Amino acid sequence: MEQTAVSITKNAADKIINLLDEENPGMKMRLSISGGGCSGFQYGFEFDSDYGDDDIIFNENGAELVVDKVSIMYLNGSIVDFEDKLMESSFKVNNPNAASSCGCGTSFSPKQ
């Protein structure tokens, strides 16, 4: 199988580290894909301490991000960023596998 990768920007890494240090020491941030959302699939971010053989752990800019092997099929080549704007602060996924995404950026439809 081809090597898979998810990149973590410095902004996202800093936010992950900050959130884990403040609220959830000993856990990791998990990014997953599930059915739903206005475009078919949606991104999920959560704290997790239960990870194993079906998980891939990406380590970049000092932060770790856990992705399961099913979700990585839809996330390969993605860049995870954190945007801190006046009206909204959130993690964003720049996903080259998305044919389209909703306006808020939390869901997408995959390329065929």
Side-chain angles (χ1 to χ4, degrees):
M1 181 177 181
E2 187 177 319
Q3 177 63 31
T4 55
V6 172
S7 297
I8 308 165
T9 67
K10 176 97 171 79
N11 284 346
D14 290 347
K15 188 63 176 180
I16 291 168
I17 292 166
N18 188 352
L19 288 170
L20 293 174
D21 285 349
E22 285 181 6
E23 301 175 24
N24 300 291
M27 298 185 109
K28 293 188 184 344
M29 177 72 77
R30 177 180 290 279
L31 170 58
S32 61
I33 300 294
S34 60
C38 51
S39 294
F41 288 96
Q42 60 188 359
Y43 302 109
F45 288 93
E46 65 184 350
F47 301 113
D48 197 354
S49 62
D50 184 25
Y51 31 89
D53 292 342
D54 4 338
D55 291 319
I56 303 166
I57 300 175
F58 298 98
N59 193 329
E60 190 171 6
N61 290 314
E64 291 182 314
L65 185 68
V66 178
V67 179
D68 65 85
K69 288 184 180 174
V70 173
S71 295
I72 196 64
M73 293 186 308
Y74 299 102
L75 291 167
N76 188 31
S78 293
I79 300 169
V80 176
D81 194 11
F82 184 80
E83 294 180 353
D84 194 6
K85 296 182 178 179
L86 184 60
M87 297 294 286
E88 175 190 17
S89 297
S90 63
F91 287 100
K92 301 289 183 184
V93 180
N94 180 351
N95 187 344
N97 305 298
S100 64
S101 60
C102 67
C104 61
T106 60
S107 68
F108 71 100
S109 61
K111 291 180 180 176
Q112 298 296 331

